[in-house]
Amino acid sequence: MNKIEIDINQRDFCYTCYRPSVSCMCEYINKIETKTKFIILMHPKEFKKTKNGTGQFTKNTLSNSELFIGIDFTNHTKINELLEDSSNDCYLLYPNETSLNLSKEKIPSEKNIVIFIIDSTWPCSKKMIKSSKNLQKLKMLSFDADKLSEFKIKKQPNEYCLSTIESTQYIIELLNKQNIENIAKEELSNMTKPFEKMVEYQLECLKRRKDPRYKAY
């Protein structure tokens, strides 16, 4: 696993959401308890640009979740323990021709469901899967998004692409419909609150920078 270094020389830092303290979004985190275990696999490049990343928000929101940073997870002890546990049914959120579409199909399992979600760009995600032989063996999941991403400060590669926290929220909504989860609608709708507030903050920063009266120090 790659060694990750955090540059906090210039500003105070929040070690929970890994954002500068001035833009910390932890007050908007609403903890959610799920039966499903979520594993967020974050590419090192994504970690370095956490000012816009939502993988950490996802991990901080879901009590039954873990986040690992790296590219090649082939020999990752914790991940392999989850994969080798016969009581688990593990899936990777990654659309392809053979993926199980949660919008149309139900997960056919009575075991503990573990869903791996890659937090990265599409090109980097492909590299992570290609490098991680254990991830290649996982059953794939997908879903049909009927809404556009609210990530207004970042251009998505396709209109159907959602951020990590939006995708995870969508998955939980579908698991609710399948009676695999039983998360209250209001509780689930608040899941993306830190993401929404982060987008608002970034948009306000952009607005200020365009204002001729604004002077950066």
Side-chain angles (χ1 to χ4, degrees), residues 180-209:
I180 293 174
E181 294 292 346
N182 186 27
I183 308 299
K185 185 177 181 179
E186 182 179 357
E187 184 180 5
L188 190 52
S189 65
N190 285 329
M191 178 176 173
T192 53
K193 182 71 72 175
F195 163 68
E196 294 164 3
K197 291 297 182 180
M198 181 267 290
V199 172
E200 288 179 13
Y201 175 83
Q202 293 296 114
L203 288 174
E204 183 60 30
C205 287
L206 289 173
K207 182 179 178 181
R208 289 177 57 205
R209 288 178 186 133

Side-chain angles (χ1 to χ4, degrees), residues 37-127:
K37 186 175 185 65
F38 289 90
I39 304 296
I40 296 102
L41 305 178
M42 181 184 288
H43 192 283
K45 288 183 179 179
E46 204 67 28
F47 183 87
K48 292 178 181 179
K49 58 178 181 181
T50 48
K51 67 178 182 178
N52 292 337
T54 68
Q56 193 66 46
F57 287 155
T58 307
K59 189 268 179 186
N60 292 349
T61 298
L62 301 178
S63 298
N64 192 13
S65 70
E66 294 185 76
L67 185 152
F68 303 112
I69 302 168
I71 297 175
D72 184 357
F73 296 96
T74 302
N75 299 311
H76 194 286
T77 302
K78 178 61 177 179
I79 289 176
N80 286 328
E81 286 177 357
L82 289 169
L83 298 179
E84 293 165 7
D85 188 336
S86 60
S87 66
N88 292 335
D89 197 6
C90 300
Y91 295 84
L92 174 67
L93 179 63
Y94 197 82
N96 63 19
E97 295 180 353
T98 61
S99 62
L100 186 154
N101 189 326
L102 282 175
S103 299
K104 303 173 182 177
E105 306 170 76
K106 184 174 181 178
I107 292 181
S109 177
E110 299 298 327
K111 296 183 178 182
N112 300 318
I113 298 173
V114 181
I115 298 179
F116 289 80
I117 298 178
I118 297 179
D119 185 41
S120 182
T121 61
W122 281 104
C124 287
S125 295
K126 291 179 181 178
K127 182 177 180 180

